[in-house]
Amino acid sequence: MFKGILIEKDDAGYRAELKEIDEAVLYDGDVTIRVAYSTLNYKDGLAITGKGPVVRRFPMIPGIDLVGTVEHSDSADYKVGETVVHTGWGVGEVHPGGLAEKARLKSEWLVPLPEAFTPRQAMAIGTAGFTAMLCVMALERHGVTSSDGEVLVTGAAGGVGGVAVSILAKLGYTVVGVSGRPEESDYIKSLGASEVLDRSDFTSPAKPIAKERWAGAIDVVGSHTLANVCSMMKYRGVVASCGLAGGMDFPATVAPFILRGVTLAGIDSVMCPRPERLEAWRRLARDLDASKLEMLSSEIGLSEAIPVAADLLEGKVRGRVLVDISR
Ligand code: NDP
């Protein structure tokens, strides 16, 4: 038995509880891990509260991220005692995840803890930080450079947004954040944004084309926000779209794409192929300041994860939330 959060769905309804879990709940995998830290991402909030159809097998341990020590390994790639990091691959959705003392995963999903990071720092990054890096890499791949003009980041007080602002600022881009929390403006500026715009400027239905402003953009919100961002892109600007915090719809026209040559780059971290995964972790080691990472992360114990998951969905949580599994 081991301690963890278990999501169950049956005649009594959908519920997440902190409890003693039987090892039989774990699925097949060639590496068993003693989990040290997990995190709370938007998706974990949806899973724990049941507000989104994230969990597709029951019972399920949520937690799409984890870092921990290998306790048992049938893989030639990982030895007992080694520290490993996991993000994505449907863990916490269709395969039991990181918000528990123990996890059993497939070795091909894991990456060794990058030398540049402590286990705690790797989780302060987690899926959200990893996704922010993938977004920045997509802007670069499509040719956006720091001399092209301002880069916009929506949801800047959240996890993906905060890491994206920090990385872009370190790379020399002029970053403008968007936030619905004016009280977090100073925090977003301290991560490197030169300006913070109000979320309400982006939530009305978008015109097909608006005044050109952004050379690049990273959007975590979707819906009208993404449509407005696309309409404001400069000629040949690039938008990396990774999130749906404001809605899954995309009420836009093709005008920005066919009149301004705008590129909409889709970002998925879950099934990201291993070479790009390793490259993103290498880039995070180089392009994300440890001091910024500390500034944008807070820590809770496993016993607090259920209520904080609900707060996260209500937009009350700032930056990244680390979960210490031992308390
Ligand atoms: P967070 O909750 O940490 O951040 C989301 C931020 O979005 C909030 O802090 C808030 O920022 C803003 N926001 C929330 N609700 C709304 C709304 N209704 N309208 C406009 N803005 C809103 O979540 P994460 O950073 O973990 O994830 C962000 C998004 O990215 C999620 O949709 C998540 O599912 C997605 N995601 C996708 C991944 C992928 O692989 N494609 C991987 C990781 C995340 P503020 O208060 O500053 O306005």
Side-chain angles (χ1 to χ4, degrees), residues 41-43 127-128 131 155-161 178-181 199 220-221 242-246 267-270 312 317 319:
N41 294 276
Y42 194 84
K43 201 180 253 179
T127 287
T131 303
V160 175
V178 179
S179 179
R181 290 181 270 178
R199 182 196 289 181
V220 309
V221 177
C242 73
L244 44 56
I267 305 299
D268 167 58
S269 64
V270 178
L312 187 131
V317 170

Side-chain angles (χ1 to χ4, degrees), residues 211-273:
K211 191 167 181 295
E212 291 184 44
R213 180 157 181 192
W214 317 115
I218 294 178
D219 178 61
V220 309
V221 177
S223 192
H224 292 299
T225 299
L226 177 57
N228 276 292
V229 171
C230 289
S231 76
M232 296 170 76
M233 297 309 292
K234 287 170 90 167
Y235 190 71
R236 294 217 151 187
V238 182
V239 184
S241 159
C242 73
L244 44 56
M248 208 182 204
D249 57 332
F250 180 38
T253 75
V254 295
F257 312 115
I258 63 172
L259 299 179
R260 289 191 182 152
V262 168
T263 297
L264 183 57
I267 305 299
D268 167 58
S269 64
V270 178
M271 306 301 284
C272 175

Side-chain angles (χ1 to χ4, degrees), residues 43-318:
K43 201 180 253 179
D44 302 311
L46 293 174
I48 289 172
T49 59
K51 287 197 173 142
V54 165
V55 177
R56 299 189 296 285
R57 285 176 77 170
F58 298 90
M60 180 56 57
I61 299 171
I64 64 175
D65 295 337
L66 67 88
V67 67
T69 310
V70 174
E71 210 172 60
H72 176 88
S73 174
D74 292 323
S75 158
D77 296 329
Y78 295 101
K79 294 188 198 64
V80 170
E82 198 170 335
T83 307
V84 291
V85 180
H86 175 276
T87 64
W89 298 116
V91 166
E93 303 178 58
V94 291
H95 188 108
L99 285 164
E101 289 171 333
K102 208 173 257 208
R104 188 170 300 133
L105 303 175
K106 295 187 180 169
S107 51
E108 62 262 34
W109 295 341
L110 303 170
V111 295
L113 175 71
E115 268 176 32
F117 300 119
T118 63
R120 196 175 173 283
Q121 286 172 323
M123 280 298 97
I125 295 169
T127 287
F130 173 68
T131 303
M133 190 72 242
L134 293 179
C135 290
V136 174
M137 287 161 59
L139 298 189
E140 292 174 342
R141 195 161 55 242
H142 291 285
V144 180
T145 67
S146 56
S147 55
D148 290 340
E150 297 168 303
V151 175
L152 188 75
V153 177
T154 62
V160 175
V163 179
V165 169
S166 307
I167 295 170
L168 288 166
K170 180 158 184 206
L171 289 171
Y173 289 89
T174 304
V175 192
V176 175
V178 179
S179 179
R181 290 181 270 178
E183 68 278 15
E184 299 296 359
S185 277
D186 287 344
Y187 155 75
I188 297 165
K189 286 183 184 163
S190 71
L191 297 178
S194 58
E195 191 184 344
V196 180
L197 302 178
D198 196 279
R199 182 196 289 181
S200 61
D201 298 346
F202 293 81
T203 47
S204 301
K207 294 181 192 149
I209 286 283
K211 191 167 181 295
E212 291 184 44
R213 180 157 181 192
W214 317 115
I218 294 178
D219 178 61
V220 309
V221 177
S223 192
H224 292 299
T225 299
L226 177 57
N228 276 292
V229 171
C230 289
S231 76
M232 296 170 76
M233 297 309 292
K234 287 170 90 167
Y235 190 71
R236 294 217 151 187
V238 182
V239 184
S241 159
C242 73
L244 44 56
M248 208 182 204
D249 57 332
F250 180 38
T253 75
V254 295
F257 312 115
I258 63 172
L259 299 179
R260 289 191 182 152
V262 168
T263 297
L264 183 57
I267 305 299
D268 167 58
S269 64
V270 178
M271 306 301 284
C272 175
R274 191 172 171 82
E276 195 175 337
R277 212 168 261 276
L278 294 170
E279 176 60 11
W281 281 104
R282 270 194 294 275
R283 289 289 309 272
L284 282 158
R286 195 187 80 186
D287 299 329
L288 177 60
D289 268 346
S291 61
K292 297 276 175 66
L293 189 58
E294 189 55 39
M295 219 180 326
L296 61 78
S297 45
S298 56
E299 189 181 306
I300 59 170
L302 181 61
S303 59
E304 299 161 274
I306 293 175
V308 176
D311 290 347
L312 187 131
L313 283 197
E314 285 171 26
K316 293 182 187 161
V317 170
R318 178 169 107 176

